Amino acid sequence: MNNYNEPILPPANIGIIGGGQLGQMMALAAKAMGYHVGVLDPTPQSPAGQVADFQIVAEYDDQAALSKLATHSDVLTYEFENVDQESLSQVEAMTRIPQGINLLTITSHRLREKDFCKQHHLPVTPYASVKSMADLEHAIQHIGQPGLLKTVEGGYDGHGQFDINDQTDWQLIEAEITKTEWIYELKQAFVRELSVMVTRDGRDEIITFPVSENRHQHHILHTSIVPAQISTTVAASATEIARQTATALDLRGVLGIELFELDSGELMINELAPRPHNSGHYSIEACNVSQFDAHIRSICGLPIPPIRQFEPAVMVNLLGDHLTAARQDWVHHPEWHLHDYGKKEIRDGRKMGHITVTGPSLERLLASVSQFS
């Protein structure tokens, strides 16, 4: 089954592990190409399940459910990095998994991810493994501070991490530190946060998307500006890092690379995401090929043309009740491309949808979505 020499053509079945918004947009891209789509997710009528041909309602590590999805799929992919790798390895012989398990092994564990980058001469901030308060004190002595203490697995949007500085609540850290493994990273004084999507197509050509400039609020991505307001040198450097990373990983599917731009113009990798990335949503409206189209084409062994962005774009996340406000105000904003993920429960800080606007004037684009800032 794992012969990747031949492309996977419609109407083949694509199985997606994960039924969130990324899975939904993968499914929509696949359906437009003529593929059939199945989803595994524990939430009935998940965002991806709403647009797929079928959904298996089960936990991600349910071996019987995962095997069922695999046997009904010509190719298997995932929408997040915290897939149970042991469970996935059990179905390798049942279907094609072009992204492989090694990509998950690296990107689901922050220490392994940093080690991978360091081994392949990809720029990262100084870091150290931490399993005790003694380890943390040693790391601070040798690396310096301020820094960030993060769980090596799990955690997102600022969860599972502590700021380490003179005001740190050491008692709180001491109560948590023996519960899991951590990584300590030196905090960098960066100018801006950037990201770039990269993939490899069926001809083994590496394809990169324009560099995005990302603005966060409370550790959650709020706004992406594309192309980023950076020099051509920095943009070229980001693209080269993406190409080197894709080559080192023998990449299939889309990979999102988060970067920090320092005062010097130097770039450092913050995180790798082995799937389409929030900051790449703009590509649905702004590019000739979206990141989701590219992901499907890549895992199915199809060619991808060079990416062209038609005009500047701004994407803003709709968190919590911002979705309700956007629905009500949409009638006054014909320029909005509103994406509603179809999540049943609105919660503060939860990504409920996004809006993309495109046009020649960046100032007007930012003003169009300024009510959500």
Side-chain angles (χ1 to χ4, degrees), residues 222-269:
H222 183 272
T223 305
S224 291
I225 299 168
V226 195
Q229 305 300 289
I230 54 178
S231 69
T232 55
T233 301
V234 172
S237 178
T239 300
E240 182 57 27
I241 287 172
R243 295 184 64 84
Q244 290 175 8
T245 306
T247 300
L249 288 168
D250 194 21
L251 182 66
R252 295 293 177 187
V254 165
L255 178 80
I257 304 176
E258 298 178 11
L259 300 156
F260 293 140
E261 180 191 354
L262 308 186
D263 280 327
S264 63
E266 179 186 1
L267 295 177
M268 285 190 172
I269 293 175

Short mmCIF file of all heavy atoms in Angstrom, two decimals, residues 222-269:
data_model
loop_
_atom_site.label_atom_id
_atom_site.label_comp_id
_atom_site.label_asym_id
_atom_site.label_seq_id
_atom_site.Cartn_x
_atom_site.Cartn_y
_atom_site.Cartn_z
N HIS A 222 -3.59 36.66 16.26
CA HIS A 222 -4.74 37.55 16.04
C HIS A 222 -4.82 37.99 14.58
O HIS A 222 -5.87 37.85 13.95
CB HIS A 222 -4.63 38.77 16.96
CG HIS A 222 -5.81 39.69 16.85
ND1 HIS A 222 -5.88 40.71 15.92
CD2 HIS A 222 -6.97 39.74 17.54
CE1 HIS A 222 -7.03 41.35 16.05
NE2 HIS A 222 -7.71 40.79 17.03
N THR A 223 -3.71 38.51 14.04
CA THR A 223 -3.73 39.08 12.70
C THR A 223 -2.50 38.63 11.91
O THR A 223 -1.40 38.60 12.45
CB THR A 223 -3.74 40.63 12.76
OG1 THR A 223 -4.84 41.06 13.56
CG2 THR A 223 -3.85 41.24 11.37
N SER A 224 -2.72 38.30 10.65
CA SER A 224 -1.61 38.01 9.73
C SER A 224 -1.66 39.00 8.57
O SER A 224 -2.73 39.25 8.01
CB SER A 224 -1.70 36.58 9.19
OG SER A 224 -1.44 35.65 10.21
N ILE A 225 -0.49 39.55 8.24
CA ILE A 225 -0.34 40.48 7.13
C ILE A 225 0.57 39.83 6.09
O ILE A 225 1.68 39.42 6.40
CB ILE A 225 0.28 41.81 7.61
CG1 ILE A 225 -0.62 42.48 8.65
CG2 ILE A 225 0.54 42.75 6.44
CD1 ILE A 225 0.05 43.64 9.37
N VAL A 226 0.07 39.74 4.86
CA VAL A 226 0.82 39.04 3.83
C VAL A 226 0.78 39.84 2.52
O VAL A 226 -0.30 40.23 2.07
CB VAL A 226 0.24 37.64 3.58
CG1 VAL A 226 1.21 36.78 2.79
CG2 VAL A 226 -0.14 36.94 4.89
N PRO A 227 1.93 40.10 1.89
CA PRO A 227 3.26 39.71 2.35
C PRO A 227 3.71 40.51 3.56
O PRO A 227 3.25 41.64 3.77
CB PRO A 227 4.15 39.99 1.13
CG PRO A 227 3.43 41.08 0.39
CD PRO A 227 1.97 40.82 0.59
N ALA A 228 4.60 39.92 4.35
CA ALA A 228 5.12 40.59 5.53
C ALA A 228 5.84 41.88 5.14
O ALA A 228 6.44 41.98 4.07
CB ALA A 228 6.07 39.65 6.27
N GLN A 229 5.78 42.86 6.04
CA GLN A 229 6.44 44.15 5.81
C GLN A 229 7.91 44.04 6.23
O GLN A 229 8.33 44.58 7.26
CB GLN A 229 5.72 45.24 6.59
CG GLN A 229 4.23 45.33 6.28
CD GLN A 229 3.97 45.62 4.81
OE1 GLN A 229 4.23 46.73 4.33
NE2 GLN A 229 3.48 44.64 4.07
N ILE A 230 8.67 43.32 5.43
CA ILE A 230 10.07 43.02 5.73
C ILE A 230 10.92 43.28 4.50
O ILE A 230 10.41 43.43 3.39
CB ILE A 230 10.25 41.56 6.19
CG1 ILE A 230 9.66 40.60 5.15
CG2 ILE A 230 9.61 41.34 7.56
CD1 ILE A 230 9.84 39.12 5.48
N SER A 231 12.23 43.30 4.71
CA SER A 231 13.15 43.51 3.58
C SER A 231 13.18 42.28 2.69
O SER A 231 12.83 41.16 3.11
CB SER A 231 14.55 43.81 4.11
OG SER A 231 15.12 42.64 4.71
N THR A 232 13.63 42.48 1.46
CA THR A 232 13.76 41.34 0.54
C THR A 232 14.80 40.35 1.06
O THR A 232 14.68 39.15 0.83
CB THR A 232 14.16 41.83 -0.85
OG1 THR A 232 15.36 42.62 -0.77
CG2 THR A 232 13.05 42.67 -1.46
N THR A 233 15.80 40.84 1.79
CA THR A 233 16.83 39.95 2.36
C THR A 233 16.24 39.03 3.41
O THR A 233 16.51 37.83 3.43
CB THR A 233 17.97 40.79 2.98
OG1 THR A 233 18.54 41.62 1.98
CG2 THR A 233 19.04 39.88 3.57
N VAL A 234 15.41 39.59 4.30
CA VAL A 234 14.78 38.78 5.35
C VAL A 234 13.81 37.79 4.72
O VAL A 234 13.74 36.62 5.12
CB VAL A 234 14.08 39.68 6.38
CG1 VAL A 234 13.25 38.83 7.36
CG2 VAL A 234 15.10 40.50 7.16
N ALA A 235 13.04 38.23 3.72
CA ALA A 235 12.10 37.33 3.05
C ALA A 235 12.83 36.18 2.38
O ALA A 235 12.40 35.02 2.46
CB ALA A 235 11.28 38.11 2.02
N ALA A 236 13.95 36.48 1.75
CA ALA A 236 14.74 35.43 1.09
C ALA A 236 15.31 34.46 2.12
O ALA A 236 15.37 33.24 1.90
CB ALA A 236 15.86 36.05 0.28
N SER A 237 15.73 34.99 3.28
CA SER A 237 16.26 34.15 4.34
C SER A 237 15.19 33.21 4.88
O SER A 237 15.43 32.02 5.11
CB SER A 237 16.81 35.02 5.47
OG SER A 237 17.28 34.23 6.54
N ALA A 238 13.96 33.72 5.08
CA ALA A 238 12.86 32.89 5.56
C ALA A 238 12.54 31.79 4.57
O ALA A 238 12.31 30.63 4.96
CB ALA A 238 11.63 33.76 5.82
N THR A 239 12.53 32.13 3.30
CA THR A 239 12.25 31.14 2.26
C THR A 239 13.33 30.07 2.21
O THR A 239 13.05 28.88 2.05
CB THR A 239 12.12 31.83 0.89
OG1 THR A 239 11.04 32.77 0.95
CG2 THR A 239 11.85 30.82 -0.21
N GLU A 240 14.58 30.47 2.37
CA GLU A 240 15.68 29.51 2.36
C GLU A 240 15.61 28.58 3.56
O GLU A 240 15.86 27.37 3.45
CB GLU A 240 17.02 30.24 2.33
CG GLU A 240 18.24 29.32 2.27
CD GLU A 240 18.24 28.37 1.09
OE1 GLU A 240 17.63 28.68 0.04
OE2 GLU A 240 18.84 27.27 1.22
N ILE A 241 15.28 29.12 4.73
CA ILE A 241 15.11 28.27 5.91
C ILE A 241 14.00 27.25 5.67
O ILE A 241 14.12 26.07 6.03
CB ILE A 241 14.80 29.14 7.15
CG1 ILE A 241 16.05 29.89 7.59
CG2 ILE A 241 14.26 28.28 8.30
CD1 ILE A 241 15.80 30.92 8.68
N ALA A 242 12.92 27.69 5.04
CA ALA A 242 11.81 26.78 4.74
C ALA A 242 12.26 25.68 3.79
O ALA A 242 11.93 24.50 3.99
CB ALA A 242 10.65 27.57 4.13
N ARG A 243 13.02 26.02 2.79
CA ARG A 243 13.50 25.03 1.83
C ARG A 243 14.44 24.03 2.50
O ARG A 243 14.36 22.82 2.27
CB ARG A 243 14.20 25.72 0.65
CG ARG A 243 13.29 26.60 -0.20
CD ARG A 243 14.04 27.17 -1.40
NE ARG A 243 14.47 26.11 -2.29
CZ ARG A 243 13.71 25.56 -3.24
NH1 ARG A 243 12.48 25.99 -3.43
NH2 ARG A 243 14.18 24.61 -4.01
N GLN A 244 15.34 24.53 3.35
CA GLN A 244 16.28 23.65 4.04
C GLN A 244 15.54 22.70 4.99
O GLN A 244 15.87 21.52 5.10
CB GLN A 244 17.29 24.48 4.82
CG GLN A 244 18.28 25.24 3.95
CD GLN A 244 19.18 26.15 4.78
OE1 GLN A 244 19.18 26.12 6.01
NE2 GLN A 244 19.95 26.99 4.10
N THR A 245 14.52 23.23 5.66
CA THR A 245 13.74 22.41 6.59
C THR A 245 12.98 21.32 5.84
O THR A 245 12.96 20.16 6.26
CB THR A 245 12.77 23.28 7.39
OG1 THR A 245 13.48 24.34 8.03
CG2 THR A 245 12.05 22.46 8.45
N ALA A 246 12.35 21.69 4.74
CA ALA A 246 11.60 20.71 3.94
C ALA A 246 12.51 19.61 3.42
O ALA A 246 12.15 18.43 3.41
CB ALA A 246 10.90 21.42 2.78
N THR A 247 13.71 19.99 3.01
CA THR A 247 14.67 19.00 2.51
C THR A 247 15.11 18.05 3.63
O THR A 247 15.15 16.83 3.45
CB THR A 247 15.90 19.70 1.92
OG1 THR A 247 15.49 20.54 0.83
CG2 THR A 247 16.93 18.69 1.41
N ALA A 248 15.41 18.61 4.80
CA ALA A 248 15.86 17.79 5.92
C ALA A 248 14.79 16.82 6.38
O ALA A 248 15.10 15.70 6.83
CB ALA A 248 16.29 18.69 7.07
N LEU A 249 13.54 17.21 6.27
CA LEU A 249 12.43 16.37 6.72
C LEU A 249 11.94 15.41 5.64
O LEU A 249 11.09 14.56 5.93
CB LEU A 249 11.25 17.25 7.15
CG LEU A 249 11.39 18.01 8.47
CD1 LEU A 249 10.29 19.04 8.61
CD2 LEU A 249 11.38 17.04 9.64
N ASP A 250 12.45 15.54 4.41
CA ASP A 250 11.89 14.78 3.28
C ASP A 250 10.38 14.99 3.26
O ASP A 250 9.59 14.05 3.22
CB ASP A 250 12.23 13.30 3.40
CG ASP A 250 11.99 12.53 2.11
OD1 ASP A 250 11.95 13.17 1.04
OD2 ASP A 250 11.81 11.31 2.17
N LEU A 251 9.98 16.24 3.28
CA LEU A 251 8.62 16.66 3.58
C LEU A 251 7.60 16.20 2.55
O LEU A 251 7.84 16.23 1.35
CB LEU A 251 8.58 18.19 3.68
CG LEU A 251 7.24 18.84 4.03
CD1 LEU A 251 6.82 18.47 5.45
CD2 LEU A 251 7.33 20.35 3.87
N ARG A 252 6.44 15.79 3.07
CA ARG A 252 5.20 15.67 2.30
C ARG A 252 4.12 16.38 3.09
O ARG A 252 4.14 16.38 4.32
CB ARG A 252 4.80 14.20 2.09
CG ARG A 252 5.76 13.40 1.23
CD ARG A 252 5.78 13.88 -0.22
NE ARG A 252 6.76 13.14 -1.01
CZ ARG A 252 7.09 13.44 -2.26
NH1 ARG A 252 6.53 14.48 -2.86
NH2 ARG A 252 7.98 12.73 -2.91
N GLY A 253 3.17 16.97 2.39
CA GLY A 253 2.17 17.78 3.06
C GLY A 253 2.73 19.17 3.34
O GLY A 253 3.89 19.45 3.07
N VAL A 254 1.88 20.03 3.87
CA VAL A 254 2.30 21.40 4.19
C VAL A 254 2.89 21.45 5.58
O VAL A 254 2.39 20.82 6.51
CB VAL A 254 1.10 22.36 4.06
CG1 VAL A 254 1.39 23.70 4.73
CG2 VAL A 254 0.75 22.60 2.59
N LEU A 255 3.96 22.23 5.72
CA LEU A 255 4.59 22.48 7.01
C LEU A 255 4.56 23.98 7.26
O LEU A 255 4.94 24.77 6.40
CB LEU A 255 6.04 22.00 6.99
CG LEU A 255 6.86 22.25 8.27
CD1 LEU A 255 6.53 21.21 9.33
CD2 LEU A 255 8.36 22.23 7.96
N GLY A 256 4.10 24.38 8.45
CA GLY A 256 4.15 25.77 8.85
C GLY A 256 5.37 26.02 9.71
O GLY A 256 5.62 25.28 10.66
N ILE A 257 6.14 27.05 9.40
CA ILE A 257 7.35 27.37 10.15
C ILE A 257 7.18 28.75 10.77
O ILE A 257 7.04 29.75 10.06
CB ILE A 257 8.60 27.36 9.25
CG1 ILE A 257 8.73 26.01 8.54
CG2 ILE A 257 9.86 27.67 10.06
CD1 ILE A 257 9.89 25.93 7.56
N GLU A 258 7.17 28.81 12.11
CA GLU A 258 7.08 30.08 12.83
C GLU A 258 8.49 30.59 13.10
O GLU A 258 9.37 29.83 13.53
CB GLU A 258 6.34 29.89 14.15
CG GLU A 258 4.90 29.43 13.99
CD GLU A 258 4.22 29.21 15.33
OE1 GLU A 258 4.79 29.62 16.36
OE2 GLU A 258 3.12 28.63 15.34
N LEU A 259 8.70 31.89 12.85
CA LEU A 259 10.03 32.49 12.95
C LEU A 259 9.98 33.79 13.75
O LEU A 259 8.96 34.49 13.75
CB LEU A 259 10.57 32.80 11.54
CG LEU A 259 10.73 31.64 10.57
CD1 LEU A 259 10.68 32.15 9.14
CD2 LEU A 259 12.04 30.90 10.83
N PHE A 260 11.10 34.09 14.39
CA PHE A 260 11.30 35.40 15.01
C PHE A 260 12.32 36.17 14.17
O PHE A 260 13.37 35.62 13.82
CB PHE A 260 11.84 35.29 16.43
CG PHE A 260 10.88 34.67 17.41
CD1 PHE A 260 11.34 33.79 18.37
CD2 PHE A 260 9.53 34.99 17.39
CE1 PHE A 260 10.46 33.22 19.29
CE2 PHE A 260 8.65 34.44 18.31
CZ PHE A 260 9.12 33.55 19.26
N GLU A 261 12.02 37.43 13.86
CA GLU A 261 13.02 38.31 13.23
C GLU A 261 13.65 39.17 14.31
O GLU A 261 12.96 39.91 15.01
CB GLU A 261 12.38 39.21 12.17
CG GLU A 261 13.40 40.12 11.50
CD GLU A 261 12.78 41.20 10.64
OE1 GLU A 261 11.54 41.21 10.46
OE2 GLU A 261 13.54 42.08 10.18
N LEU A 262 14.97 39.06 14.47
CA LEU A 262 15.68 39.82 15.49
C LEU A 262 16.06 41.19 14.94
O LEU A 262 15.94 41.46 13.73
CB LEU A 262 16.92 39.05 15.94
CG LEU A 262 16.70 37.59 16.38
CD1 LEU A 262 18.00 37.02 16.93
CD2 LEU A 262 15.59 37.48 17.39
N ASP A 263 16.56 42.06 15.82
CA ASP A 263 16.97 43.42 15.43
C ASP A 263 17.99 43.41 14.29
O ASP A 263 18.00 44.28 13.42
CB ASP A 263 17.58 44.16 16.62
CG ASP A 263 16.52 44.70 17.56
OD1 ASP A 263 15.45 45.09 17.07
OD2 ASP A 263 16.77 44.74 18.76
N SER A 264 18.84 42.40 14.30
CA SER A 264 19.91 42.29 13.31
C SER A 264 19.41 41.84 11.94
O SER A 264 20.17 41.86 10.96
CB SER A 264 20.96 41.30 13.80
OG SER A 264 20.39 40.00 13.94
N GLY A 265 18.16 41.42 11.87
CA GLY A 265 17.64 40.83 10.64
C GLY A 265 17.79 39.32 10.63
O GLY A 265 17.27 38.65 9.73
N GLU A 266 18.49 38.78 11.63
CA GLU A 266 18.64 37.33 11.75
C GLU A 266 17.29 36.70 12.08
O GLU A 266 16.47 37.29 12.79
CB GLU A 266 19.64 37.01 12.86
CG GLU A 266 19.87 35.53 13.10
CD GLU A 266 20.76 35.30 14.32
OE1 GLU A 266 21.17 36.29 14.96
OE2 GLU A 266 21.02 34.12 14.63
N LEU A 267 17.05 35.49 11.59
CA LEU A 267 15.82 34.76 11.86
C LEU A 267 16.11 33.56 12.74
O LEU A 267 17.15 32.92 12.63
CB LEU A 267 15.17 34.30 10.56
CG LEU A 267 14.68 35.39 9.61
CD1 LEU A 267 14.14 34.77 8.34
CD2 LEU A 267 13.61 36.25 10.28
N MET A 268 15.15 33.24 13.61
CA MET A 268 15.22 32.05 14.44
C MET A 268 13.90 31.30 14.35
O MET A 268 12.82 31.92 14.38
CB MET A 268 15.51 32.40 15.90
CG MET A 268 16.94 32.80 16.18
SD MET A 268 17.29 32.91 17.94
CE MET A 268 19.07 33.16 17.89
N ILE A 269 13.98 29.98 14.25
CA ILE A 269 12.77 29.17 14.22
C ILE A 269 12.18 29.09 15.62
O ILE A 269 12.88 28.76 16.58
CB ILE A 269 13.08 27.74 13.69
CG1 ILE A 269 13.48 27.80 12.22
CG2 ILE A 269 11.86 26.83 13.88
CD1 ILE A 269 13.91 26.47 11.65
#
